[in-house]
Each structure stands twice: as C-alpha cells, then as structure tokens.
Amino acid sequence: MSNTTTTTTAAGHQGLHWSSRWAFIMAATGSAVGLGNIWKFPYITGENGGGAFVLVYLACIAVVGLPILIAEVMLGRKGRKSPIASMRELIREHNANAGWVSIGTLGTIAAFLILSFYSVIGGWAINYVGYTISGDFVGQTSDAVGGIFGAMLGDPSTLLFWHSVFMACVLFIVARGVKGGLEKAVTYLMPALFVLMVVMVVYAMTTSGFAQGVNFLFNPDFSKLTGEGVLKALGHAFFTLSLGTGVMMAYGSYLDQKTSIAKTSITVGLMDTVVALVAGMAIFPIVFANGMEPSAGPGLIFVSLPMAFGSMSMGTLIGTLFFVLLVFAALTSAISLLEPSVEWLEERSGFNRMTATLVAGGAVWFLGIATVLSLNVWSDVHPLGMFAAFEGKTIFDLLDYITANIMLPLAGLLAALYVGWVMKKEDVAAELNMSNGAMTLFWNITRYVTPLAVIIVMYKSIMG
Ligand code: TRP
C-alpha cells in the first residue's frame, strides 16, 4: 500500500488510508480490469451471439453491478477490516444473524477457485509473449495460428509450466508485500495497455471486417439470446467488476470518510466497461476479416490478435508489448484473488504472511492442474454431466461456470440484501452522503431491483 498515508482515525483499522480518491480508483480498477475484459468478455460475447448479449451485459453492470459495487465498498469502509472480520464487526453492530458472515466465506472460496484457472490463462499470455517476440505469427494463415494455439492446449507440460510461472509471480508479489510497487507501476501500465488496444482498434478499422465486427457487437439480434446467455451476462458483470469475493470490501476498508463512494465506484465501473468494449472492437473485426468464427471459445483472442500482429506493420513490437501488458493486467487481478485466502489463513491458523501465501498459493497451483488437464487428457471428463445444466462441461468449464454464474452472484446478492434490509436507511445515507434523489434511487434499486434481478435470472436459468 504505497499509495497511502498514515492517519489516526477514530475507527482504528491499521490507520491506513488511500492518499487520494485516484489511488483507490487505480487499485480497484487494477483488480477489475484483467483477463475478464480482454480474454473472457470477447469470447463469451462471441459464443452468445453478440449485440443482444452485450446489451444485457451493460444492463447487468448498471442495474446489478454498480449498486453491488457501491454496497461492497461501503460495507468494507464501515467494517474497516478484512472482509470476513468486517462482516463479523457489522453483524455485532447491527445485531444481525451470524449467517451473514457467509458473504465473506463464500467469496473467499470463490476467489480461490477462480484463481486456479485464471492462472492457467495468465500462463497462456506469458507464453504468447515468447511466440510473438520470436515472430512466430508473422505472415501466417489463420489455420497456422490456430494450430499454434491448439498445440499449446494439447500439451499439458507446456500449460503446467506457464501456469507455474504465473503462480510464482503472484506468490512473489503477495509474499514480499511488494504489492504497493506493483500498484504504482500499474498506474502507468494500464493506461499503456489501453492505448495499445486503441491502436488495435485503429488497425481493425483498416480491415475488411470492421463494419461486420461493430455490427456484431452493437446491433442486437434478440433471437440469438438464450436464458443461459442472460445468466452468463449477469455472472460476467460480477466477474469483471471483481464482485462477490470481498475484494472490493477489502479495498473499501482503506477508503477515507470524505470520499464519495458512489462517484468513485461509478468511475471504476465505467473504466472497466470501456476497456471491455474497446477489446471487443479490436477483436471482432479481425475475426471477421480473417474468416474466423466469433464463437471459437476461450482461444478467441489468442488466435485473432496474433493474426493482426502477424500482418500489421510493427506487429512484432506491438504484439509483444500487448501480451506483456496483458500479463501485468492479469497479475494485478490475480493478487486480489489470492488475498482473501491468505488473509483468512493468517487469521485462522496463525501462519505468518509468507507461510500463509505459500500454503494458499500452493493449493491454488495444485487445483490449477485440473484446468490444465481439462484442456487435453481430461477433455472428455464431465464430472457433473448427469445434471442438464452442467452437461458436457469439463472441470475447467465447471470451475468457471459455478464461480462466475452461481457463487459470485449469490455472495453479491447477500451483500445487497444486507445493505438494503439489515442496515438502516439513515446509516446508509450517512455513509454514502448523496443527494436525496440519488439516495432514494440507490435505496430502491438495492432493496428491490438488484435482488429480484439476481434471483429471477438465477432461478430461471438453473431451473431451465
Ligand atoms: N475482475 C478481474 C477480471 O476481470 C478478475 C478478478 C479479480 C475477480 N479479482 C476478482 C473476479 C474478484 C471476481 C472477484 O479479470
């Protein structure tokens, strides 16, 4: 936490506060912007038919994501401790049922499970730095580029190696506590990544697929939207804003009392959304220009972007930079995913930070092997295949599906219910310090709209 100043507060906490609203925004955006925006958003948009899915996703961000982001940051600032400890504190203060601690525990487990596959994908990105720098994509056909990706997926030892390298970086950062330095670096690296993506959009404009790509993203065809697609849009709103795992609560606990939670949260949400949309605008034109399928799945950016790098001028330089910056964006998200488990272990087992990091990280790494194998030797293993909702899903698919589409929305729903139904309106109003109109809007959305939306979408898609 280098971006903090030490102050003495009535609330106690570690006495640490973000030095400025901007520092909080950058740290929260560092957690939010990651593989979710650049890898996952384009490929699930491709799989779910484009425009209509994007529209539902944007609605989910506005109606569900932002209110829950505000709610989580507020719970964190009120509790002033780690997510689970904060919830215990608030429960005591509000005389609420001890079961509300599940907001923290559910989230800690979800973050642990997410990191196990997130790290494997982060490993792909590191590996792609090497491919791009050695010019492997220069002048290649889309079949050849697809072949490079397929060969990587088919080789468990390559995947395991890069997954291990990625996890080692995460452990190094979390154990050494050099997080502050990384967070500082990210204030330069993230804008750089954004600029590079805009460069890719400009390149995409010169391809024959630009109109088709933009049309695919922004022209909704509701006949392509399924109930399952709506659940995925909702789940992704949680995933991309880092909601439902206590991560934003943890960041909120460092926010000072003067800062407007609503304004800050909306800024974070806007930046995250813009990055995802820009990624889509860079990728889909290239997909169409090269006759690829938008529904190609998790490999979408790892096949489409290298095609562009292989044929544009300075492609090797731009491509290498792009994957380096993608790795940094993934790392800042990954450290926020490991943090809840490490904190929990420190509190529970009395391990010091180093030991807690090694134990939690080792366990995540080990679980990651299941994702590595799901992509090749276990690709036909479908452990929950007997349930219609999980038919044909590998262990990797299940980890992704159950965390993003079930656990995160559930934990987020509980946070909204806690704020809307356990806390008093005056308390919430005092904490958020908004105009009366804005407060009434937030209150009604958080009490009724957000919970109902989450419950209806989850019920409908899970019950078929
Ligand atoms: N939001 C990150 C992304 O889009 C992933 C992430 C980081 C995350 N921390 C999280 C997701 C906490 C859920 C909860 O890549």
Side-chain angles (χ1 to χ4, degrees):
M1 299 282 160
S2 68
N3 283 325
T4 55
T5 50
T6 307
T7 51
T8 32
T9 60
H13 198 25
Q14 289 99 330
L16 285 169
H17 284 292
W18 301 102
S19 59
S20 69
R21 176 169 169 252
W22 191 242
F24 171 85
I25 290 176
M26 288 317 280
T29 310
S31 167
V33 173
L35 295 170
N37 306 64
I38 297 165
W39 161 71
K40 195 172 177 189
F41 171 73
Y43 102 73
I44 59 174
T45 297
E47 282 183 340
N48 289 283
F53 176 85
V54 174
L55 214 58
V56 175
Y57 160 75
L58 293 175
C60 288
I61 293 280
V63 173
V64 179
L66 288 178
I68 294 184
L69 179 56
I70 294 172
E72 289 194 8
V73 173
M74 184 183 77
L75 288 176
R77 187 168 77 179
K78 262 191 100 55
R80 291 244 171 270
K81 293 205 172 80
S82 78
I84 296 179
S86 283
M87 281 318 299
R88 288 220 181 86
E89 188 81 25
L90 293 173
I91 287 166
R92 211 170 310 123
E93 185 187 327
H94 299 129
N95 232 331
N97 188 298
W100 289 106
V101 169
S102 55
I103 296 174
T105 30
L106 194 61
T108 303
I109 299 169
F112 178 88
L113 299 176
I114 290 173
L115 185 55
S116 77
F117 67 83
Y118 202 86
S119 166
V120 175
I121 316 296
W124 298 359
I126 305 183
N127 191 18
Y128 265 60
V129 173
Y131 288 162
T132 319
I133 222 171
S134 16
D136 288 4
F137 302 123
V138 178
Q140 295 288 12
T141 62
S142 58
D143 281 347
V145 172
I148 294 175
F149 181 71
M152 177 183 78
L153 285 200
D155 180 3
S157 51
T158 302
L159 295 178
L160 181 62
F161 178 75
W162 294 110
H163 160 54
S164 309
V165 171
F166 187 88
M167 270 318 289
C169 297
V170 175
L171 290 190
F172 182 81
I173 296 164
V174 176
R176 294 279 304 268
V178 289
K179 235 176 95 183
L182 187 80
E183 273 162 7
K184 251 203 176 131
V186 165
T187 53
Y188 303 99
L189 298 176
M190 280 201 315
L193 176 64
F194 186 73
V195 169
L196 264 193
M197 294 209 306
V198 172
V199 169
M200 294 309 294
V201 176
V202 172
Y203 168 81
M205 285 174 179
T206 69
T207 67
S208 58
F210 191 67
Q212 206 183 344
V214 170
N215 190 49
F216 181 79
L217 261 182
F218 297 113
N219 194 1
D221 173 356
F222 284 96
S223 69
K224 289 189 186 148
L225 192 66
T226 60
E228 172 95 8
V230 175
L231 178 67
K232 286 187 177 159
L234 179 79
H236 190 62
F238 282 92
F239 187 89
T240 194
L241 292 177
S242 300
L243 298 177
T245 61
V247 165
M248 290 298 175
M249 279 175 73
Y251 284 145
S253 71
Y254 293 102
L255 203 57
D256 72 45
Q257 213 61 35
K258 294 190 299 284
T259 307
S260 157
I261 291 179
K263 275 189 209 149
T264 333
S265 302
I266 290 169
T267 309
V268 172
L270 270 180
M271 295 210 278
D272 184 76
T273 306
V274 169
V275 173
L277 294 177
V278 169
M281 279 170 45
I283 286 157
F284 286 108
I286 298 166
V287 167
F288 290 114
N290 293 289
M292 297 183 226
E293 280 302 321
S295 60
L300 192 67
I301 71 154
F302 292 94
V303 181
S304 58
L305 289 183
M307 282 302 295
F309 299 140
S311 61
M312 66 202 279
S313 63
M314 297 203 304
T316 298
L317 177 69
I318 293 175
T320 306
L321 259 177
F322 174 85
F323 283 114
V324 168
L325 293 171
L326 181 61
V327 171
F328 275 100
L331 278 174
T332 50
S333 300
I335 56 176
S336 79
L337 283 165
L338 188 59
E339 194 66 36
S341 313
V342 172
E343 258 175 32
W344 180 81
L345 266 184
E346 278 180 310
E347 281 175 12
R348 265 307 160 94
S349 64
F351 288 157
N352 62 23
R353 183 157 187 94
M354 180 67 94
T355 315
T357 306
L358 287 177
V359 171
V364 168
W365 173 82
F366 185 71
L367 183 61
I369 297 174
T371 291
V372 165
L373 296 175
S374 297
L375 297 164
N376 36 68
V377 281
W378 289 355
S379 60
D380 290 327
V381 178
H382 307 142
L384 299 179
M386 58 282 201
F387 302 106
F390 302 134
E391 214 183 290
K393 288 192 161 41
T394 62
I395 301 178
F396 166 38
D397 298 333
L398 286 172
L399 285 168
D400 177 14
Y401 190 94
I402 293 174
T403 51
N405 304 336
I406 300 174
M407 296 177 83
L408 302 182
L410 216 51
L413 171 67
L414 291 173
L417 289 175
Y418 190 87
V419 170
W421 295 92
V422 175
M423 290 180 68
K424 289 207 192 66
K425 190 176 178 187
E426 305 86 76
D427 284 354
V428 177
E431 197 64 39
L432 293 180
N433 202 10
M434 304 192 286
S435 70
N436 281 340
M439 181 58 206
T440 306
L441 182 69
F442 172 78
W443 191 244
N444 287 321
I445 289 184
T446 310
R447 259 166 96 87
Y448 306 105
V449 183
T450 307
L452 273 179
V454 175
I455 290 168
I456 292 172
V457 172
M458 287 187 70
Y459 181 81
K460 283 220 152 183
S461 48
I462 290 165
M463 298 301 147

